Amino acid sequence: FWKDWRKHLKAINPNAYITAEIIDSVKFNKPYLRGDEFDAVMNYNFAFTCEEFFINDKFKINAAQFDKKLEILRKAYPGGVEYVMQNLFDSHDTNRLLSHIVNKDVGRYRDWGKYFELSKGSNPDYNTTKPGEREIEIQKLMVIFQMTYVGAPMIYYGDETGMWGANDPCCRKPMVWDDFKYDDEIYLPDQTKKAKADEVNLNKELFEHYKKLIGIRNSNEVLQIGKYKALMADNQNDAFAFERYDEDNSIIVVLNNSKEENIINLPIISGRYKDLLNIDEYQFNKASQSISIKPKWGRILLKIN
């Protein structure tokens, strides 16, 4: 069926994007991605890897392990499929990203069968209260990575507005809009009252962050189809850097996953760069090879000469 479906759809629109809803291993995904069925699948293995680096404490991986796991995923599929894989953090079948961050280490996301149940609101150990600024900081960092990395970023509706919720059905609340006024959330998933009501509104700062990162990606083709090169995996500082480049352009992304501000040493680059995220400019040379990055933040450095 899917082979016939592809032929039919591509005959109507050769540029149509066909993605499959699959939560499984790379080995299981491969048969669907040979060019005769789907263009991509929902890249849950990307989500699992990002959880392990950005979110987890107990089950955390270091920067070098993160780098290696990303490399395995990029090389897993033939023919440039890594450029169109649907890179997501959450979906209609998972807890929302912000609630996931609140409930870090409740289980292993990669262990999907067990995690699906552990991340439901019916689990008495799952915290369904409104996330705070600490969780939002981690989400912002993850978005910086998602919008600059190889693949097709997918945002589950409402993540950009600060929506939260446990796994299905709590993740499927109505969309939060900026021109609506909402009642406070006063009930737990089991319909008992919360000890303290949670205010429901659109998080404008987070929304603007998403818009800015999407704008940076859309304005720089090198972030969409440019080549990828890992530059640094600093386990000590919990930092990671990579380059997206083509014949004419180079963008270097530096992520500080630490809870502390860090001075990141970058001896691998030289020249003048403009930070598209923070609107700063830097000149890197032998005498100046480091850059300061706030905790849970990043820099997107476009080479300008």
Side-chain angles (χ1 to χ4, degrees):
F1 174 84
W2 290 118
K3 289 175 172 58
D4 290 343
W5 166 259
R6 182 183 180 86
K7 290 177 183 177
H8 179 66
L9 191 63
K10 294 292 185 176
I12 297 169
N13 179 6
N15 292 320
Y17 176 71
I18 311 174
T19 186
E21 181 181 12
I22 299 172
I23 306 177
D24 217 310
S25 65
V26 167
K27 182 180 179 180
F28 186 88
N29 291 340
K30 280 186 176 182
Y32 297 100
L33 298 169
R34 293 171 177 162
D36 60 348
E37 293 187 10
F38 301 103
D39 297 315
V41 301
M42 296 173 76
N43 199 2
Y44 280 96
N45 289 288
F46 168 85
F48 301 158
T49 301
C50 288
E51 180 222 33
E52 291 162 351
F53 182 61
F54 292 109
I55 298 176
N56 288 352
D57 281 340
K58 183 179 178 181
F59 306 122
K60 179 175 170 53
I61 61 174
N62 61 34
Q65 291 169 321
F66 181 59
D67 178 34
K68 185 61 178 178
K69 289 193 174 190
L70 291 175
E71 180 185 9
I72 290 170
L73 286 180
R74 289 194 307 276
K75 294 180 177 179
Y77 309 109
V81 171
E82 70 270 23
Y83 282 89
V84 294
M85 286 292 279
Q86 191 178 344
N87 289 349
L88 72 163
F89 296 132
D90 55 355
S91 76
H92 60 286
D93 282 328
T94 76
N95 52 185
R96 280 193 174 272
L97 177 57
L98 275 174
S99 287
H100 190 155
I101 298 169
V102 169
N103 292 274
K104 60 183 178 179
D105 299 325
V106 71
R108 293 177 183 266
Y109 201 10
R110 194 180 294 275
D111 191 358
W112 175 247
K114 292 181 179 179
Y115 188 81
F116 184 82
E117 295 300 327
L118 289 171
S119 57
K120 281 182 171 288
S122 55
N123 176 4
D125 295 326
Y126 192 92
N127 185 349
T128 59
T129 57
K130 183 176 183 177
E133 286 303 315
R134 187 191 68 81
E135 289 80 25
I136 290 171
E137 284 181 356
I138 295 172
Q139 178 172 347
K140 286 180 178 179
L141 177 62
M142 293 175 72
V143 174
I144 295 171
F145 175 66
Q146 183 187 34
M147 293 297 166
T148 54
Y149 186 63
V150 177
M154 189 278 271
I155 304 165
Y156 184 45
Y157 82 93
D159 283 353
E160 74 280 14
T161 70
M163 288 181 65
W164 74 92
N167 204 336
D168 186 13
C170 300
C171 59
R172 305 191 187 200
K173 298 172 189 176
M175 178 64 179
V176 173
W177 304 100
D178 61 349
D179 55 348
F180 277 43
K181 181 172 176 57
Y182 297 89
D183 292 337
D184 290 347
E185 185 174 287
I186 61 174
Y187 291 106
L188 294 166
D190 65 1
Q191 297 306 295
T192 59
K193 279 196 172 184
K194 292 184 173 184
K196 180 183 177 183
D198 287 317
E199 184 180 5
V200 178
N201 53 22
L202 183 142
N203 187 316
K204 292 183 179 180
E205 183 181 358
L206 181 61
F207 184 65
E208 290 301 321
H209 179 73
Y210 270 87
K211 286 173 64 176
K212 186 172 187 176
L213 266 296
I214 292 169
I216 290 172
R217 184 178 181 89
N218 287 343
S219 300
N220 293 275
E221 191 176 78
V222 69
L223 292 176
Q224 302 165 45
I225 60 174
K227 295 180 181 179
Y228 174 94
K229 182 180 180 181
L231 297 178
M232 179 197 69
D234 183 346
N235 294 342
Q236 182 176 351
N237 290 310
D238 206 7
F240 184 67
F242 59 92
E243 181 183 16
R244 301 297 308 278
Y245 66 97
D246 57 26
E247 291 183 358
D248 303 312
N249 302 283
S250 170
I251 289 180
I252 290 174
V253 181
V254 190
L255 306 173
N256 178 17
N257 192 36
S258 169
K259 297 175 184 177
E260 308 293 334
E261 182 169 351
N262 272 324
I263 305 296
I264 308 298
N265 193 32
L266 296 169
I268 53 327
I269 65 174
S270 63
R272 191 161 164 246
Y273 287 81
K274 179 180 179 180
D275 187 341
L276 301 177
L277 180 60
N278 303 286
I279 321 300
D280 297 322
E281 288 193 11
Y282 297 92
Q283 180 71 45
F284 294 99
N285 50 48
K286 289 184 178 180
S288 178
Q289 298 181 325
S290 61
I291 192 168
S292 174
I293 307 181
K294 295 185 295 184
K296 301 298 180 184
W297 196 242
R299 294 191 180 273
I300 304 173
L301 304 171
L302 172 67
K303 190 166 188 179
I304 50 182
N305 66 27

